[in-house]
């Protein structure tokens, strides 16, 4: 019965794919959304397909649960059958009527897993809460929700970490195509080998403006990317919190927390602050150019982070104003405090020098010439 129900659900999925392919004039391919074109019918077709995938996932989980319970049954029933050899346990999977369907079930499981992953990727990229909800419900029915959420969070965090490390890596900046063209042009007019070696990781007086422009471009791109990833994390967490198990009323977020150490948003902020602080500290130690640029232009760096907070504030409770700073903003700004401290020290020194020069009085002012 379960197998026939699964076959009917998979047939419905295939029927939707064939209908999509017929309209688009292509072969049916598994996809998160059926690109039929604009119109209400498309949404209905997509919803029917998503519901079929969700139901198929539940059927697969029920079949797998029966088989798994069956394989464990001999260990618990052996003592009960002692002295009754005619009542020997028979495994369901050993029956041909069952074993013939196992490859079909496994194939369906692989297909539904691929469909779930496709819906998850599309939903998180497009911030489509409805599609993301269907993907999470499919994962829940397959009994893999905590693992799927953990892998997704790890992927998002890894993207942020790689972007930050690359941005503050001056060796990577030196490999930038535009920088290399400027470097090769400048170095060709010099025969100093030490100069050629140094220019790969540190600019000269001639190339400093180009290096500075390239650095700020990378910083702006970094802010754009981590803003997008932050919004994705909060969208995922919101959907997880809204979706609930119909049997016990527990939210999907609580289910995912059985494997996660912290909430997705907490994991994101911790990784962001940790990577920023390490990259700023290491970059400042290895590159005088980086320290000089971000110290002298720290207000500009601060404005970039203000832009970051304003972008995500619609999706989160993260605020940055003169009157209030959320814990997340404090944690993030503290990670770049090495540039703030250097900027404040430099500004204080200049102010003291200005004050000293203003009050410095020549002896002739009192005693005459």
């Amino acid at each position: 019965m379960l197998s026939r129900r699964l076959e009917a659900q998979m047939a419905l999925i295939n029927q939707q794919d064939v209908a999509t392919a017929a309209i688009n004039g292509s072969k049916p391919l598994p996809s998160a959304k059926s690109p039929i074109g604009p119109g209400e019918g498309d949404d209905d077709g997509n919803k029917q397909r998503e519901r079929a995938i969700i139901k198929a996932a539940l059927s697969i989980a029920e079949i797998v649960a029966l088989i798994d319970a069956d394989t464990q049954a001999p260990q618990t029933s052996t003592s009960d059958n002692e002295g009754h050899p005619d009542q020997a346990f028979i495994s369901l999977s050993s029956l041909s009527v069952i074993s013939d369907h196992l490859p079909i079930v496994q194939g369906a499981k692989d297909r539904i897993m691929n469909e779930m992953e496709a819906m998850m990727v599309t939903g998180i990229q497009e911030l489509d809460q409805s599609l993301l909800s269907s993907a999470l419900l499919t994962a829940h029915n397959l009994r893999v929700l905590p693992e799927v959420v953990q892998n997704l969070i790890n992927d998002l965090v890894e993207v942020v970490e790689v972007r930050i490390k690359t941005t503050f890596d001056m060796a990577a900046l030196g490999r930038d195509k535009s920088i290399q063209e400027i470097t090769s042009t400048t170095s060709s007019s010099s025969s100093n080998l030490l100069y050629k070696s140094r220019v790969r990781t540190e600019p000269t007086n001639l190339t400093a403006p180009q290096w500075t422009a390239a650095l700020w471009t990378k910083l702006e791109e970094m802010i754009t990317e981590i803003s997008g990833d932050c919004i994705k994390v909060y969208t995922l967490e919101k959907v997880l919190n809204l979706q609930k198990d119909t049997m016990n009323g527990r939210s999907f977020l609580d289910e995912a927390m059985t494997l996660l150490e912290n909430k997705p948003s907490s994991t994101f902020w911790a990784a962001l602050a940790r990577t920023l602080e390490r990259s700023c500290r290491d970059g400042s130690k290895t590159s005088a150019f980086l320290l000089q640029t971000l110290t002298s232009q720290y207000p500009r760096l601060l404005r970039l982070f203000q832009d970051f907070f304003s972008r995500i504030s619609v999706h989160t409770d993260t605020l940055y104003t003169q009157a209030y700073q959320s814990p997340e903003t404090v944690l993030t700004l503290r990670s770049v405090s090495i540039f703030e401290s250097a900027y404040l020290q430099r500004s204080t020194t200049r102010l003291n020098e200005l004050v000293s020069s203003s009050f410095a009085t020549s002896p002739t002012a009192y005693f005459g010439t």
Side-chain angles (χ1 to χ4, degrees):
M1 177 179 176
L2 286 175
S3 179
R4 288 197 298 270
R5 186 176 72 184
L6 176 61
E7 290 177 1
Q9 292 160 347
M10 296 304 296
L12 179 59
I13 297 173
N14 292 330
Q15 183 180 356
Q16 292 291 335
D17 290 341
V18 171
T20 301
I23 294 177
N24 292 327
S26 59
K27 295 182 179 180
L29 293 174
S31 60
K33 289 186 177 180
S34 300
I36 299 177
E40 294 181 358
D42 309 340
D43 293 336
D44 292 340
N46 288 331
K47 291 300 181 184
Q48 290 179 5
R49 190 174 187 277
E50 291 171 19
R51 285 194 291 268
I53 292 173
I54 293 170
K55 292 178 180 178
L58 184 58
S59 298
I60 292 170
E62 292 174 351
I63 294 173
V64 172
L66 285 175
I67 296 175
D68 290 344
D70 175 64
T71 57
Q72 297 175 3
Q75 301 176 4
T76 59
S77 60
T78 301
S79 59
D80 297 336
N81 293 331
E82 289 181 358
H84 302 279
D86 55 327
Q87 299 181 6
F89 177 83
I90 300 177
S91 173
L92 289 176
S93 58
S94 66
L95 301 176
S96 59
V97 68
I98 300 296
S99 60
D100 290 345
H101 286 81
L102 293 182
I104 299 176
V105 173
Q106 184 59 47
K109 182 179 180 181
D110 295 339
R111 170 77 183 279
I112 295 301
M113 284 290 294
N114 291 334
E115 294 284 356
M116 180 269 295
E117 292 173 356
M119 289 193 298
M120 191 77 72
V121 170
T122 304
I124 201 70
Q125 290 291 342
E126 299 181 2
L127 302 180
D128 187 335
Q129 295 189 20
S130 176
L131 185 61
L132 189 58
S133 177
S134 297
L136 293 172
L137 185 53
T138 303
H140 168 75
N141 287 347
L142 288 172
R143 312 293 191 264
V144 295
L145 179 64
E147 292 80 4
V148 168
V149 173
Q150 184 185 53
N151 292 336
L152 183 57
I153 294 299
N154 289 341
D155 289 343
L156 291 172
V157 167
E158 183 180 3
V159 169
V160 171
E161 291 177 340
V162 171
R163 165 59 76 175
I164 293 174
K165 292 177 182 177
T166 303
T167 300
F168 288 92
D169 184 359
M170 293 301 98
L173 181 65
R175 292 191 293 269
D176 186 88
K177 184 177 180 181
S178 59
I179 295 296
Q180 285 185 336
E181 291 176 353
I182 297 170
T183 300
S184 60
T185 302
T186 307
S187 61
S188 61
S189 61
S190 173
S191 59
N192 191 331
L193 297 179
L194 292 177
Y195 167 80
K196 292 182 180 180
S197 176
R198 179 171 59 86
V199 81
R200 297 173 186 169
T201 55
E202 291 287 323
T204 64
N205 293 333
L206 294 176
T207 60
Q210 291 80 8
W211 277 67
T212 302
L215 174 60
W216 284 111
T217 298
K218 284 187 172 293
L219 286 168
E220 291 168 359
E221 293 172 349
M222 179 193 75
I223 291 297
T224 299
E225 186 162 344
I226 64 177
S227 299
D229 285 336
C230 181
I231 293 172
K232 291 173 185 176
V233 170
Y234 272 90
T235 301
L236 173 63
E237 187 171 306
K238 180 179 181 180
V239 176
L240 283 170
N241 201 34
L242 290 175
Q243 281 280 37
K244 299 185 184 299
D245 190 325
T246 55
M247 299 298 294
N248 54 31
R250 186 173 67 163
S251 70
F252 283 8
L253 180 59
D254 290 338
E255 182 178 342
M257 289 302 296
T258 59
L259 186 61
L260 301 177
E261 295 182 359
N262 296 297
K263 292 196 305 181
S265 57
S266 299
T267 301
F268 171 84
W269 287 112
L272 173 65
R274 181 178 61 252
T275 308
L276 262 178
E277 183 177 12
R278 184 185 302 117
S279 298
C280 291
R281 183 183 64 247
D282 294 346
S284 299
K285 290 180 179 179
T286 58
S287 173
F289 163 74
L290 179 67
L291 181 60
Q292 167 78 15
T293 302
L294 297 187
T295 295
S296 60
Q297 302 184 49
Y298 176 73
R300 182 177 178 180
L301 179 64
L302 184 59
R303 286 194 296 271
L304 280 182
F305 280 100
Q306 290 173 340
D307 179 54
F308 165 60
F309 297 134
S310 66
R311 291 185 187 186
I312 66 175
S313 61
V314 179
H315 305 270
T316 71
D317 295 327
T318 307
L319 300 176
Y320 180 84
T321 64
Q322 292 182 350
Y324 174 78
Q325 294 183 21
S326 65
E328 292 81 7
T329 60
V330 173
L331 183 67
T332 304
L333 294 177
R334 190 178 296 166
S335 64
V336 295
S337 60
I338 184 173
F339 302 121
E340 180 186 24
S341 300
Y343 173 76
L344 293 176
Q345 182 178 2
R346 181 175 180 178
S347 300
T348 302
T349 301
R350 287 185 174 180
L351 180 61
N352 291 336
E353 291 175 352
L354 180 62
V355 171
S356 299
S357 62
S358 299
F359 285 92
T361 305
S362 173
T364 59
Y366 294 100
F367 302 105
T369 54

